[in-house]
Amino acid sequence: MAKKEKIEKENLSEIMNLVRAEEVMCYDKKTGKCILLENLEAISQQEEGKVWIFPYDMELCSKEKGLRWFIEEYNIDIPDYRKRWQYLRESGSNQAFYEYLLDLRLDAMKDWLHEHNILQLDFDE
């Protein structure tokens, strides 16, 4: 049985690919299903026009870019002698940053889905 749903934070990790993973999540254009393929097979099928490989986390928004935007948006003043990430972690803001980064990636994934005219995702259960 398959379940169809729109993309939300909770299922973003199901389709967002991670760098260095041996398998990637793809969208099968013919069936409309989300499928997991080995990297080389996915590339081959994408070149043949059969699938779209879902974006990688870093393609959606890199941690570095998200960190810059987070610091700017929340007007966080980091002392010159401190590293940004270390300061956020020590000040307890790292969890808020990860939520912010997840929101950025979710918005970017929604844009990607819209560009590819994917209205719903079909996951195998």
Side-chain angles (χ1 to χ4, degrees):
M1 177 186 281
K3 110 181 135 173
K4 292 188 177 192
E5 55 188 277
K6 293 187 181 233
I7 187 76
E8 299 296 336
K9 273 189 199 181
E10 296 77 31
N11 59 9
L12 178 61
S13 63
E14 291 182 49
I15 63 170
M16 179 176 62
N17 289 306
L18 302 175
V19 175
R20 293 186 201 83
E22 293 180 14
E23 297 179 317
V24 291
M25 187 61 73
C26 302
Y27 179 81
D28 186 317
K29 294 178 182 182
K30 185 176 181 181
T31 65
K33 292 186 181 275
C34 297
I35 59 173
L36 196 59
L37 296 173
E38 290 184 12
N39 284 326
L40 293 177
E41 177 67 18
I43 292 167
S44 173
Q45 287 198 29
Q46 182 168 272
E47 287 173 352
E48 293 172 14
K50 295 179 181 178
V51 302
W52 282 309
I53 299 173
F54 284 110
Y56 288 87
D57 55 352
M58 298 300 281
E59 290 176 304
L60 295 170
C61 183
S62 71
K63 184 176 174 182
E64 187 62 32
K65 184 186 291 185
L67 186 57
R68 275 195 323 269
W69 292 349
F70 179 78
I71 290 168
E72 288 173 15
E73 185 166 329
Y74 291 96
N75 203 19
I76 298 171
D77 186 30
I78 298 177
D80 290 336
Y81 62 92
R82 301 296 296 274
K83 292 184 178 180
R84 295 179 300 174
W85 177 242
Q86 180 183 16
Y87 182 80
L88 285 182
R89 193 173 53 241
E90 289 173 359
S91 67
S93 300
N94 56 328
Q95 190 59 39
F97 163 70
Y98 280 121
E99 284 297 316
Y100 179 83
L101 182 61
L102 190 57
D103 286 339
L104 291 174
R105 289 177 173 170
L106 177 63
D107 290 343
M109 181 63 84
K110 286 180 178 179
D111 290 344
W112 187 91
L113 292 169
H114 179 75
E115 289 170 16
H116 290 81
N117 201 30
I118 300 172
L119 304 177
Q120 289 188 327
L121 299 174
D122 192 349
F123 296 94
D124 286 331
E125 289 187 346

